[in-house]
Amino acid sequence: MGTVHAKSLDPLPMHGRDLGVNADDWVEPPEPEQEAKQEILENKDVVVQHVNIQGLGRTKEDLLGYEISDVFHAKNLIDVMKKAHVARQKLLRLGIFKEVEVLIDTSEGADALPNGLDVTFEVTEIKRLTGSYNTMVGNNEGSMVLGLKLPNMFGRAEKLTFQFSYGTKETSYGLSFFKPQPGHFERNLTLNMYKVTGQFPWSSLKETDRGLSAELNFPLGMTNHTLKWEGVWRELGCLARSASFAVREESGHSLKSALSHTVSIDSRNSAIFPSRGALFRINQELAGYTGGDASFLKEDFELQLNRRLFWDSVLSASLWGGMLYPIGGQPSCIADRFYLGGPTSVRGFGMYSIGPQSEGDYLGGEAYWAGGLHLYTPLPFRPGKGGFGDLFRTHFFLNAGNLCNLNYGEGPRAHLQKLAECIRWSYGAGIVLRLGNIARLELNYCVPMGVQSGDRICDGVQFGAGIRFL
């Protein structure tokens, strides 16, 4: 929390050893009224009479009322301090203040109660225009990101952002507008306009997307939901002259208009190194009913369970799966299919180099599953609170999965049988490095098993970087 001033509460009650005030030191005796008020505040309930916000410029006061209203419900001094701290965190979460300080004092004035308190938030607003330069880690790729941001455009935590990203496999730029619901920051609307150019060497493919999207995020009970519409003009081309005929057939322009819904439940205590809790996420995408020439129904899910064992070791189990069902009798597009393999999924195999392929180019599949079992241990990097060892883990892993195309004229039993055939799996051990709370690096020694004809393997040392790992 910020600085706490309590003029009439000085000295605050102390417990423990004597503070060391000498008898010769002059201490001005408190006035009777102050002494009575101090005793009341320390031992009885208090009333928060006024909450003031100082330092506002372009921010609208009605926006902040939702964030600080709980302070009025505090019943004692400790409760006031706790609720003021929570309110401070909510104000900082809005992303419109550089600093927020909290001052707590006894009420003054004609309407002051004997047990009244005034709480003041001193804020410093962020500049109207800010710039940023940073690096970003994706799934086995890195990029340099330049950004310009106009925070708090209309005084209610709106944000306009322009971002340019140049990466090892992808270059993009986009403009986005973010608008939260006052009092419910988790409920927000984001509008995007973008252009993305990516290279996919495992498929000898390059893709340029130009699109618009609208995204609504909101919590519902224990779950978080995202509703999204996306309209994108896609241009596919060959990355090399040696591209297979199957990839050349996919080249050209297409228009996709899709609605999607994502629901997730996340009880993990950390996204990178969880020691307890679970994650369940399911995504549904329907393309073609709002226009465009791509028509399909796509479903995929992610499940992760974590359990702490002895000596700070953690057992983690993950399961991914998905299916893509083309609608209207037309085949699916190579840009919409699933891909599997590499240091972020089934380790020991090349990046996205499992499943259907043509002349060395991997074409993706319409159905897949992947599972992983990990044993994480801090040894030999014994963690300390805030120490260097907190950044590292050693892990032993067992991964398995399969990617294929299904004949939807057959029944579910035939589909399961095909997914259970030709299972690729691998095992090994390695070191994991946490990068903040959003990404991680892995250096593993892998032993691939169940290798099928056409699979590209990485037998031995494999390096991976990303934000999502099996």
Side-chain angles (χ1 to χ4, degrees), residues 181-216:
Q181 178 181 342
H184 300 279
F185 188 76
E186 298 82 3
R187 300 177 189 172
N188 53 72
L189 174 68
T190 304
L191 305 176
N192 295 294
M193 180 171 58
Y194 60 88
K195 178 182 178 181
V196 180
T197 301
Q199 298 180 357
F200 310 98
W202 47 85
S203 301
S204 298
L205 182 73
K206 62 180 179 180
E207 178 180 355
T208 300
D209 293 347
R210 304 170 181 87
L212 301 170
S213 68
E215 185 176 306
L216 179 64

Tab-separated table of all heavy atoms in Angstrom, residues 181-216:
chain	number	residue	atom	x	y	z
A	181	GLN	N	-15.519	-2.237	-19.236
A	181	GLN	CA	-16.763	-1.785	-18.627
A	181	GLN	C	-16.442	-1.152	-17.280
A	181	GLN	O	-15.758	-1.762	-16.456
A	181	GLN	CB	-17.728	-2.949	-18.425
A	181	GLN	CG	-19.026	-2.545	-17.754
A	181	GLN	CD	-19.961	-3.730	-17.536
A	181	GLN	OE1	-19.807	-4.767	-18.163
A	181	GLN	NE2	-20.919	-3.572	-16.634
A	182	PRO	N	-16.906	0.066	-17.014
A	182	PRO	CA	-16.613	0.703	-15.719
A	182	PRO	C	-17.058	-0.164	-14.545
A	182	PRO	O	-18.182	-0.653	-14.507
A	182	PRO	CB	-17.415	2.005	-15.790
A	182	PRO	CG	-17.543	2.305	-17.244
A	182	PRO	CD	-17.661	0.958	-17.910
A	183	GLY	N	-16.138	-0.359	-13.612
A	183	GLY	CA	-16.435	-1.170	-12.446
A	183	GLY	C	-16.225	-2.649	-12.634
A	183	GLY	O	-16.231	-3.414	-11.668
A	184	HIS	N	-16.049	-3.084	-13.876
A	184	HIS	CA	-15.833	-4.506	-14.167
A	184	HIS	C	-14.759	-4.597	-15.244
A	184	HIS	O	-15.052	-4.807	-16.425
A	184	HIS	CB	-17.120	-5.186	-14.624
A	184	HIS	CG	-18.228	-5.128	-13.620
A	184	HIS	ND1	-18.318	-6.006	-12.550
A	184	HIS	CD2	-19.282	-4.282	-13.506
A	184	HIS	CE1	-19.386	-5.705	-11.832
A	184	HIS	NE2	-19.988	-4.664	-12.388
A	185	PHE	N	-13.503	-4.444	-14.832
A	185	PHE	CA	-12.408	-4.378	-15.784
A	185	PHE	C	-12.280	-5.670	-16.583
A	185	PHE	O	-11.825	-5.658	-17.730
A	185	PHE	CB	-11.099	-4.090	-15.033
A	185	PHE	CG	-9.929	-3.805	-15.934
A	185	PHE	CD1	-9.812	-2.576	-16.559
A	185	PHE	CD2	-8.960	-4.773	-16.149
A	185	PHE	CE1	-8.738	-2.306	-17.381
A	185	PHE	CE2	-7.883	-4.505	-16.975
A	185	PHE	CZ	-7.773	-3.272	-17.591
A	186	GLU	N	-12.682	-6.811	-15.993
A	186	GLU	CA	-12.575	-8.084	-16.688
A	186	GLU	C	-13.536	-8.164	-17.876
A	186	GLU	O	-13.335	-8.982	-18.771
A	186	GLU	CB	-12.852	-9.249	-15.730
A	186	GLU	CG	-11.885	-9.364	-14.568
A	186	GLU	CD	-12.223	-8.423	-13.416
A	186	GLU	OE1	-13.251	-7.715	-13.514
A	186	GLU	OE2	-11.459	-8.394	-12.435
A	187	ARG	N	-14.571	-7.332	-17.851
A	187	ARG	CA	-15.493	-7.284	-18.995
A	187	ARG	C	-15.018	-6.167	-19.921
A	187	ARG	O	-15.069	-4.991	-19.565
A	187	ARG	CB	-16.918	-6.996	-18.532
A	187	ARG	CG	-17.483	-8.027	-17.575
A	187	ARG	CD	-18.866	-7.625	-17.106
A	187	ARG	NE	-19.349	-8.487	-16.032
A	187	ARG	CZ	-20.450	-8.261	-15.338
A	187	ARG	NH1	-21.195	-7.183	-15.605
A	187	ARG	NH2	-20.827	-9.083	-14.380
A	188	ASN	N	-14.539	-6.541	-21.080
A	188	ASN	CA	-13.979	-5.535	-21.981
A	188	ASN	C	-14.191	-5.919	-23.431
A	188	ASN	O	-14.407	-7.095	-23.762
A	188	ASN	CB	-12.491	-5.332	-21.682
A	188	ASN	CG	-11.710	-6.629	-21.695
A	188	ASN	OD1	-11.478	-7.215	-22.737
A	188	ASN	ND2	-11.312	-7.093	-20.504
A	189	LEU	N	-14.115	-4.908	-24.271
A	189	LEU	CA	-14.283	-5.065	-25.715
A	189	LEU	C	-13.008	-4.607	-26.404
A	189	LEU	O	-12.458	-3.552	-26.065
A	189	LEU	CB	-15.475	-4.239	-26.202
A	189	LEU	CG	-15.698	-4.186	-27.719
A	189	LEU	CD1	-16.118	-5.557	-28.254
A	189	LEU	CD2	-16.751	-3.132	-28.071
A	190	THR	N	-12.539	-5.412	-27.355
A	190	THR	CA	-11.341	-5.071	-28.122
A	190	THR	C	-11.656	-5.153	-29.607
A	190	THR	O	-12.205	-6.158	-30.077
A	190	THR	CB	-10.177	-6.018	-27.788
A	190	THR	OG1	-9.919	-5.996	-26.385
A	190	THR	CG2	-8.917	-5.596	-28.525
A	191	LEU	N	-11.310	-4.093	-30.337
A	191	LEU	CA	-11.451	-4.050	-31.794
A	191	LEU	C	-10.061	-4.024	-32.413
A	191	LEU	O	-9.192	-3.263	-31.967
A	191	LEU	CB	-12.239	-2.809	-32.231
A	191	LEU	CG	-13.621	-2.622	-31.589
A	191	LEU	CD1	-14.233	-1.297	-32.059
A	191	LEU	CD2	-14.550	-3.788	-31.920
A	192	ASN	N	-9.834	-4.848	-33.427
A	192	ASN	CA	-8.502	-4.963	-34.040
A	192	ASN	C	-8.578	-4.817	-35.554
A	192	ASN	O	-9.543	-5.248	-36.194
A	192	ASN	CB	-7.882	-6.327	-33.718
A	192	ASN	CG	-7.602	-6.513	-32.243
A	192	ASN	OD1	-6.770	-5.827	-31.676
A	192	ASN	ND2	-8.313	-7.452	-31.627
A	193	MET	N	-7.541	-4.207	-36.093
A	193	MET	CA	-7.313	-4.162	-37.541
A	193	MET	C	-5.834	-4.489	-37.750
A	193	MET	O	-4.965	-3.870	-37.120
A	193	MET	CB	-7.653	-2.785	-38.092
A	193	MET	CG	-7.450	-2.641	-39.587
A	193	MET	SD	-8.112	-1.074	-40.230
A	193	MET	CE	-7.185	0.105	-39.261
A	194	TYR	N	-5.524	-5.449	-38.601
A	194	TYR	CA	-4.155	-5.938	-38.638
A	194	TYR	C	-3.769	-6.477	-40.009
A	194	TYR	O	-4.611	-6.755	-40.869
A	194	TYR	CB	-3.973	-7.061	-37.601
A	194	TYR	CG	-4.874	-8.255	-37.837
A	194	TYR	CD1	-4.485	-9.301	-38.671
A	194	TYR	CD2	-6.130	-8.335	-37.242
A	194	TYR	CE1	-5.310	-10.385	-38.897
A	194	TYR	CE2	-6.964	-9.419	-37.454
A	194	TYR	CZ	-6.546	-10.439	-38.277
A	194	TYR	OH	-7.367	-11.511	-38.515
A	195	LYS	N	-2.452	-6.629	-40.159
A	195	LYS	CA	-1.867	-7.344	-41.294
A	195	LYS	C	-0.722	-8.184	-40.749
A	195	LYS	O	0.136	-7.683	-40.018
A	195	LYS	CB	-1.343	-6.387	-42.362
A	195	LYS	CG	-0.684	-7.104	-43.535
A	195	LYS	CD	-0.125	-6.128	-44.562
A	195	LYS	CE	0.581	-6.885	-45.695
A	195	LYS	NZ	1.165	-5.954	-46.699
A	196	VAL	N	-0.720	-9.468	-41.082
A	196	VAL	CA	0.291	-10.405	-40.584
A	196	VAL	C	0.844	-11.188	-41.764
A	196	VAL	O	0.087	-11.731	-42.571
A	196	VAL	CB	-0.305	-11.381	-39.546
A	196	VAL	CG1	0.781	-12.334	-39.043
A	196	VAL	CG2	-0.936	-10.637	-38.396
A	197	THR	N	2.167	-11.235	-41.875
A	197	THR	CA	2.837	-12.039	-42.887
A	197	THR	C	3.699	-13.071	-42.183
A	197	THR	O	4.589	-12.714	-41.401
A	197	THR	CB	3.710	-11.173	-43.807
A	197	THR	OG1	2.891	-10.200	-44.455
A	197	THR	CG2	4.402	-12.022	-44.869
A	198	GLY	N	3.431	-14.345	-42.427
A	198	GLY	CA	4.153	-15.408	-41.744
A	198	GLY	C	4.742	-16.411	-42.713
A	198	GLY	O	4.242	-16.600	-43.834
A	199	GLN	N	5.835	-17.035	-42.269
A	199	GLN	CA	6.492	-18.086	-43.047
A	199	GLN	C	6.411	-19.387	-42.268
A	199	GLN	O	6.645	-19.417	-41.058
A	199	GLN	CB	7.952	-17.718	-43.321
A	199	GLN	CG	8.130	-16.456	-44.137
A	199	GLN	CD	9.592	-16.138	-44.390
A	199	GLN	OE1	10.492	-16.826	-43.915
A	199	GLN	NE2	9.842	-15.099	-45.170
A	200	PHE	N	6.092	-20.459	-42.989
A	200	PHE	CA	5.935	-21.773	-42.373
A	200	PHE	C	6.797	-22.774	-43.144
A	200	PHE	O	6.299	-23.465	-44.043
A	200	PHE	CB	4.465	-22.186	-42.382
A	200	PHE	CG	3.555	-21.108	-41.827
A	200	PHE	CD1	2.879	-20.239	-42.676
A	200	PHE	CD2	3.413	-20.931	-40.460
A	200	PHE	CE1	2.055	-19.235	-42.176
A	200	PHE	CE2	2.592	-19.933	-39.947
A	200	PHE	CZ	1.916	-19.088	-40.808
A	201	PRO	N	8.095	-22.820	-42.812
A	201	PRO	CA	9.023	-23.639	-43.606
A	201	PRO	C	8.702	-25.120	-43.595
A	201	PRO	O	9.055	-25.828	-44.548
A	201	PRO	CB	10.389	-23.343	-42.955
A	201	PRO	CG	10.086	-22.785	-41.606
A	201	PRO	CD	8.773	-22.089	-41.729
A	202	TRP	N	8.048	-25.623	-42.537
A	202	TRP	CA	7.713	-27.045	-42.499
A	202	TRP	C	6.692	-27.412	-43.576
A	202	TRP	O	6.546	-28.571	-43.924
A	202	TRP	CB	7.188	-27.430	-41.128
A	202	TRP	CG	6.147	-26.477	-40.605
A	202	TRP	CD1	4.809	-26.494	-40.868
A	202	TRP	CD2	6.377	-25.342	-39.771
A	202	TRP	NE1	4.186	-25.452	-40.253
A	202	TRP	CE2	5.130	-24.719	-39.555
A	202	TRP	CE3	7.512	-24.794	-39.177
A	202	TRP	CZ2	4.977	-23.569	-38.778
A	202	TRP	CZ3	7.365	-23.652	-38.398
A	202	TRP	CH2	6.112	-23.062	-38.201
A	203	SER	N	5.988	-26.386	-44.086
A	203	SER	CA	5.009	-26.627	-45.151
A	203	SER	C	5.392	-25.943	-46.456
A	203	SER	O	4.596	-25.969	-47.412
A	203	SER	CB	3.621	-26.133	-44.725
A	203	SER	OG	3.179	-26.776	-43.556
A	204	SER	N	6.568	-25.321	-46.499
A	204	SER	CA	6.994	-24.530	-47.676
A	204	SER	C	5.919	-23.516	-48.043
A	204	SER	O	5.612	-23.289	-49.216
A	204	SER	CB	7.298	-25.447	-48.868
A	204	SER	OG	8.369	-26.320	-48.574
A	205	LEU	N	5.345	-22.878	-47.032
A	205	LEU	CA	4.193	-22.009	-47.229
A	205	LEU	C	4.454	-20.639	-46.628
A	205	LEU	O	5.103	-20.510	-45.592
A	205	LEU	CB	2.966	-22.634	-46.548
A	205	LEU	CG	1.632	-21.908	-46.676
A	205	LEU	CD1	1.076	-22.065	-48.084
A	205	LEU	CD2	0.635	-22.445	-45.644
A	206	LYS	N	3.943	-19.626	-47.286
A	206	LYS	CA	3.907	-18.287	-46.702
A	206	LYS	C	2.477	-17.782	-46.776
A	206	LYS	O	1.729	-18.107	-47.706
A	206	LYS	CB	4.859	-17.328	-47.414
A	206	LYS	CG	4.572	-17.083	-48.872
A	206	LYS	CD	5.595	-16.111	-49.472
A	206	LYS	CE	5.333	-15.872	-50.965
A	206	LYS	NZ	6.319	-14.942	-51.553
A	207	GLU	N	2.100	-16.996	-45.772
A	207	GLU	CA	0.714	-16.551	-45.668
A	207	GLU	C	0.666	-15.089	-45.247
A	207	GLU	O	1.390	-14.670	-44.348
A	207	GLU	CB	-0.049	-17.405	-44.650
A	207	GLU	CG	-1.502	-16.983	-44.446
A	207	GLU	CD	-2.211	-17.867	-43.426
A	207	GLU	OE1	-1.622	-18.851	-42.962
A	207	GLU	OE2	-3.378	-17.547	-43.093
A	208	THR	N	-0.183	-14.331	-45.911
A	208	THR	CA	-0.421	-12.938	-45.548
A	208	THR	C	-1.895	-12.774	-45.214
A	208	THR	O	-2.763	-13.078	-46.044
A	208	THR	CB	-0.039	-11.981	-46.692
A	208	THR	OG1	1.357	-12.136	-46.990
A	208	THR	CG2	-0.292	-10.534	-46.291
A	209	ASP	N	-2.160	-12.323	-43.992
A	209	ASP	CA	-3.530	-12.110	-43.528
A	209	ASP	C	-3.782	-10.623	-43.332
A	209	ASP	O	-2.970	-9.922	-42.717
A	209	ASP	CB	-3.771	-12.831	-42.193
A	209	ASP	CG	-3.737	-14.332	-42.330
A	209	ASP	OD1	-3.771	-14.829	-43.472
A	209	ASP	OD2	-3.666	-15.020	-41.295
A	210	ARG	N	-4.908	-10.162	-43.840
A	210	ARG	CA	-5.376	-8.798	-43.587
A	210	ARG	C	-6.776	-8.918	-43.007
A	210	ARG	O	-7.664	-9.479	-43.661
A	210	ARG	CB	-5.401	-7.975	-44.871
A	210	ARG	CG	-4.050	-7.907	-45.600
A	210	ARG	CD	-4.210	-7.289	-46.984
A	210	ARG	NE	-2.949	-7.230	-47.707
A	210	ARG	CZ	-2.462	-8.211	-48.467
A	210	ARG	NH1	-3.146	-9.359	-48.572
A	210	ARG	NH2	-1.311	-8.081	-49.097
A	211	GLY	N	-6.960	-8.419	-41.784
A	211	GLY	CA	-8.231	-8.714	-41.152
A	211	GLY	C	-8.727	-7.697	-40.165
A	211	GLY	O	-8.029	-6.747	-39.787
A	212	LEU	N	-9.975	-7.927	-39.760
A	212	LEU	CA	-10.651	-7.170	-38.713
A	212	LEU	C	-11.206	-8.167	-37.706
A	212	LEU	O	-11.596	-9.287	-38.067
A	212	LEU	CB	-11.813	-6.343	-39.288
A	212	LEU	CG	-11.505	-5.305	-40.363
A	212	LEU	CD1	-12.804	-4.791	-40.970
A	212	LEU	CD2	-10.706	-4.156	-39.771
A	213	SER	N	-11.243	-7.760	-36.445
A	213	SER	CA	-11.829	-8.643	-35.438
A	213	SER	C	-12.434	-7.810	-34.323
A	213	SER	O	-12.015	-6.682	-34.064
A	213	SER	CB	-10.778	-9.612	-34.868
A	213	SER	OG	-9.816	-8.926	-34.094
A	214	ALA	N	-13.431	-8.398	-33.666
A	214	ALA	CA	-14.056	-7.807	-32.481
A	214	ALA	C	-14.116	-8.896	-31.423
A	214	ALA	O	-14.567	-10.016	-31.699
A	214	ALA	CB	-15.454	-7.288	-32.805
A	215	GLU	N	-13.661	-8.556	-30.215
A	215	GLU	CA	-13.516	-9.560	-29.160
A	215	GLU	C	-14.126	-9.051	-27.866
A	215	GLU	O	-13.815	-7.947	-27.425
A	215	GLU	CB	-12.037	-9.866	-28.972
A	215	GLU	CG	-11.724	-10.969	-28.005
A	215	GLU	CD	-10.237	-11.260	-27.974
A	215	GLU	OE1	-9.658	-11.517	-29.062
A	215	GLU	OE2	-9.653	-11.222	-26.872
A	216	LEU	N	-14.994	-9.857	-27.259
A	216	LEU	CA	-15.643	-9.520	-26.000
A	216	LEU	C	-15.221	-10.523	-24.944
A	216	LEU	O	-15.399	-11.731	-25.114
A	216	LEU	CB	-17.163	-9.544	-26.164
A	216	LEU	CG	-18.004	-9.238	-24.914
A	216	LEU	CD1	-17.775	-7.805	-24.441
A	216	LEU	CD2	-19.485	-9.490	-25.170
